[in-house]
Amino acid sequence: MEKLLGKTPSELKEIALSAGLPGFTGNQLAQWIYGKRVRTLAEMTNLSKAGRERLAESYEVGVALPLGKAVSSDGTSKYLFPVDGNPTNAVEAVMIPDGDRKTLCVSSQAGCKMGCKFCMTGRQGFHGSLSAADILSQFFGIDESAELTNTVFMGMGEPLDNWEEVKRTIEVLTAPWGFGWSPKRVTLSTIGVIPNLKRYLDECRCHLAVSLHNPFPEERLSLMPVEKAYPIESVIDLIRQYDFTGQRRVSFEYTMFAGFNDTPRHADALLRLLQGLECRVNLIRFHRIPDFPYGTSSQAAMEAFRDRLSRGGITATIRASRGEDILAACGLLAGLHNHE
Ligand code: SF4
């Protein structure tokens, strides 16, 4: 059964025509799926009954519902979603409330090929990329669906290793026929897969977050194999070709490991690397994982690092950790990790 979720109005029009329905049914389908958020063809009452039945022979709306939910004492909710209808191949989505905001952290792949050493997902290996329908189900299937204000592609997987489906998802989020969100409400986090990063920067106006973690190539390579194919210096050279002085923002994620990347030498190298770029650095407290050589930087080391960056002209913030008690914080999810 093919899923309608994730299709554009013009694709829905083609589907309608092929089922013998009038072309304008494409827009009606889009309104029902994205506007009214119905989950079955039977609910689309302005389509003829016979037309709905013909569509139902080959198509379904395709919203996957979560298999489970855990709620943190700080209000963060973690959901488990099946991939392609398969509950043994599940991913997680995390909803983070913050004042008036409700941000959804979404997964784009089951597992990941990138093999970052500090990441639980990287250790699991790769089990497949999500379709746009499965990525969008994370928005449509949760209890807070109608209240969401923002999203970050920081869940399981490297979103730029699944660019076509991620792009399709972003189109639904930002198109007038979809959620109609401003691109400012969407942030994609990547370790820097250069060819698709260029596409993202050319084709979308959403924010960018880059997982940096170490300004020295050899040290970064020891944590992140991607450094070999796409060195961080080349990633930053590419980013410098785009304008981040207006609405679109770029930030760098920097997880702090005691003694490995939290010294003044690292702060100074980071300042040199990012010199002149309009950006901010998010310093992230590392949550220990088994069989990993580095521990968590102390609060004092993180503050000293932040202050050194700030004195050098780069805004740096220490990010609050959320959802630790339900293993929803950065680096603690077995089914989900992020790029941080
Ligand atoms: Fe993949 Fe991101 Fe984990 Fe690296 S940090 S292994 S890119 S999910």
Side-chain angles (χ1 to χ4, degrees), residues 65-119:
L65 296 177
L67 302 164
K69 175 184 180 184
V71 182
S72 161
S73 56
D74 68 14
T76 300
S77 307
K78 183 175 74 165
Y79 291 88
L80 190 68
F81 277 91
V83 176
D84 213 9
N86 179 359
T88 60
N89 195 14
V91 294
E92 287 169 357
V94 179
M95 193 289 298
I96 307 150
D98 184 14
D100 293 342
R101 280 183 173 215
K102 281 193 167 63
T103 300
L104 188 68
C105 176
V106 286
S107 292
S108 55
Q109 296 181 310
C112 187
K113 295 175 200 161
M114 300 297 156
C116 305
K117 299 277 196 301
F118 51 86
C119 170

Side-chain angles (χ1 to χ4, degrees), residues 5 12 47 62 92 112 137 155 199 203 222 228 242 272 275 300 326 329:
L5 188 63
L12 292 168
L47 273 61
E92 287 169 357
C112 187
S137 287
R199 288 188 187 106
E203 296 167 27
S222 74
K228 197 172 169 65
Y242 294 83
R272 284 195 297 277
Q275 196 177 34
I326 55 164

Side-chain angles (χ1 to χ4, degrees), residues 109 111-123 154-159 189-191 211 213 223-224 336-340:
Q109 296 181 310
C112 187
K113 295 175 200 161
M114 300 297 156
C116 305
K117 299 277 196 301
F118 51 86
C119 170
M120 293 300 280
T121 301
R123 291 183 181 192
M154 282 190 187
M156 193 176 188
E158 163 55 61
S189 173
T190 178
I191 57 171
S211 299
H213 307 312
L223 273 192
M224 303 173 73
L336 165 72
H337 184 57
N338 49 49
H339 294 278
E340 302 170 344

Side-chain angles (χ1 to χ4, degrees), residues 109-184:
Q109 296 181 310
C112 187
K113 295 175 200 161
M114 300 297 156
C116 305
K117 299 277 196 301
F118 51 86
C119 170
M120 293 300 280
T121 301
R123 291 183 181 192
Q124 284 177 10
F126 180 63
H127 305 289
S129 284
L130 269 60
S131 64
D134 275 345
I135 305 173
L136 285 164
S137 287
Q138 297 167 60
F139 293 86
F140 283 82
I142 65 171
D143 297 338
E144 303 83 358
S145 179
E147 299 149 43
L148 291 173
T149 61
N150 295 71
T151 191
V152 288
F153 286 83
M154 282 190 187
M156 193 176 188
E158 163 55 61
L160 294 182
D161 188 42
N162 186 19
W163 170 232
E164 290 302 328
E165 301 301 306
V166 167
K167 184 183 167 194
R168 194 174 265 282
T169 304
I170 292 174
E171 190 176 359
V172 171
L173 296 177
T174 55
W177 49 263
F179 282 15
W181 283 8
S182 155
K184 288 188 293 186

